[in-house]
Amino acid sequence: MEILGCFKPVPDLELLSAADWTADSDLQVDTAFVRTVWNCFDESGLELMLRAAEDNGSVRLHALTVGPKGHETYLKTLYALGFAQAVRVNCEADLRFCPEWIARCVHTYLSAHPEITAAVLGAQSADGSNSQTALLLAERLGWPCVTQVAAFSVGADGTMSVSSMTDEGALTQTITGPVVLSVGNVSGAYLRVPTIKARRQLGRQPVTVLPCPDPPPEGATLCSLAAPETGRAAVVIPGDTLEERTKLFYQQYWKAWVKP
């Protein structure tokens, strides 16, 4: 079985000071000077892929990212961890609000590699945070999509056992055939660190660079910024003593709420 993991490096927002959170004339917060890190949901998905490959030696792992040349550092780390193929779709544009276009890029790659029968994506990213890419990809492919995935494994017969969180609680499904997995909160699924030896032996493999399938859109334009309204409606019950306030509360509110 072959699995594709998609990821996106994001700015480490914890390094921004309070003064750095200042919007410029275009209402953008400059994060160009901040280092990038693994997006936490993507990181969990990649680690779950490695665990599945450890448990089943027939699993072959692919990785894909859409972005500039700097993303290749992350792809080489995945090579060192045992991924068989690392691919970057070359794009320098701002893709924070372009989930449809990113889904199209991934769909193009999967269409050229029919041997891949599962795609793993993080539920959302720290920037943009649209939570749409996995669902849009599944719609393009015509594959089912399991959201809020917490764990998965691959059986000897190629079927996948997928655990996810739903409104009713934890759900485990046995899935046959192609599927898109959207990884949510996973406890303790930090991506492992490759050894220096693995970096030297495997991490120097060339990254496959693909051109954009079509020009990226201009993306969304941020028109305004405003703090959300967090206030709540409240009524102050008058009275000099607790007994007076209790009586008014009972007469004016409780009797109307609780019917005999």
Side-chain angles (χ1 to χ4, degrees), residues 4-52:
L4 173 67
C6 301
F7 70 93
K8 174 185 177 182
V10 295
D12 188 354
L13 300 181
E14 292 185 356
L15 297 180
L16 293 178
S17 65
D20 293 327
W21 288 95
T22 303
D24 58 20
S25 58
D26 295 325
L27 299 178
Q28 301 289 330
V29 176
D30 182 18
T31 58
F33 61 93
V34 179
R35 71 175 184 181
T36 59
V37 294
W38 298 97
N39 175 50
C40 62
F41 296 102
D42 298 338
E43 180 182 14
S44 296
L46 295 169
E47 175 60 25
L48 292 178
M49 290 173 61
L50 289 168
R51 294 178 186 180

Side-chain angles (χ1 to χ4, degrees), residues 11-259:
D12 188 354
L13 300 181
E14 292 185 356
L15 297 180
L16 293 178
S17 65
D20 293 327
W21 288 95
T22 303
D24 58 20
S25 58
D26 295 325
L27 299 178
Q28 301 289 330
V29 176
D30 182 18
T31 58
F33 61 93
V34 179
R35 71 175 184 181
T36 59
V37 294
W38 298 97
N39 175 50
C40 62
F41 296 102
D42 298 338
E43 180 182 14
S44 296
L46 295 169
E47 175 60 25
L48 292 178
M49 290 173 61
L50 289 168
R51 294 178 186 180
E54 282 182 338
D55 294 338
N56 187 328
S58 66
V59 174
R60 190 167 183 266
L61 305 180
H62 300 242
L64 182 145
T65 186
V66 181
K69 184 176 177 59
H71 289 188
E72 293 186 11
T73 301
Y74 294 87
L75 290 167
K76 289 181 179 294
T77 296
L78 295 177
Y79 265 144
L81 288 173
F83 276 66
Q85 186 68 32
V87 180
R88 177 176 68 88
V89 178
N90 186 40
C91 183
E92 300 286 342
D94 182 358
L95 300 176
R96 289 176 299 170
F97 305 110
C98 303
E100 292 183 358
W101 188 84
I102 295 174
R104 189 183 309 140
C105 291
V106 181
H107 174 258
T108 299
Y109 180 78
L110 287 171
S111 298
H113 295 81
E115 69 276 11
I116 299 175
T117 55
V120 179
L121 296 83
Q124 62 191 67
S125 64
D127 57 347
S129 192
N130 54 73
S131 303
Q132 298 179 24
T133 308
L135 297 170
L136 291 169
L137 174 62
E139 184 176 7
R140 282 182 169 274
L141 293 166
W143 294 2
C145 181
V146 182
T147 60
Q148 296 301 318
V149 172
F152 65 85
S153 60
V154 180
D157 58 353
T159 60
M160 299 187 73
S161 177
V162 180
S163 299
S164 60
M165 297 302 299
T166 69
D167 292 339
E168 289 75 28
L171 173 68
T172 300
Q173 306 175 72
T174 300
I175 300 175
T176 302
V179 65
V180 175
L181 304 180
S182 176
V183 177
N185 292 316
V186 182
S187 177
Y190 301 104
L191 188 64
R192 63 195 67 180
V193 178
T195 64
I196 296 177
K197 181 178 180 181
R199 286 190 180 275
R200 290 177 176 175
Q201 293 181 345
L202 302 174
R204 296 178 179 178
Q205 300 177 72
V207 171
T208 302
V209 181
L210 302 177
C212 294
D214 49 35
E218 294 183 359
T221 300
L222 185 61
C223 299
S224 63
L225 287 174
E229 177 60 48
T230 58
R232 297 183 179 181
V235 176
V236 178
I237 299 175
D240 296 329
T241 64
L242 178 60
E243 288 76 9
E244 292 178 2
R245 297 191 187 98
T246 303
K247 183 177 180 179
L248 286 172
F249 172 76
Y250 174 77
Q251 293 176 343
Q252 297 181 15
Y253 301 100
W254 189 258
K255 289 177 66 175
W257 294 340
V258 181
K259 296 182 180 179

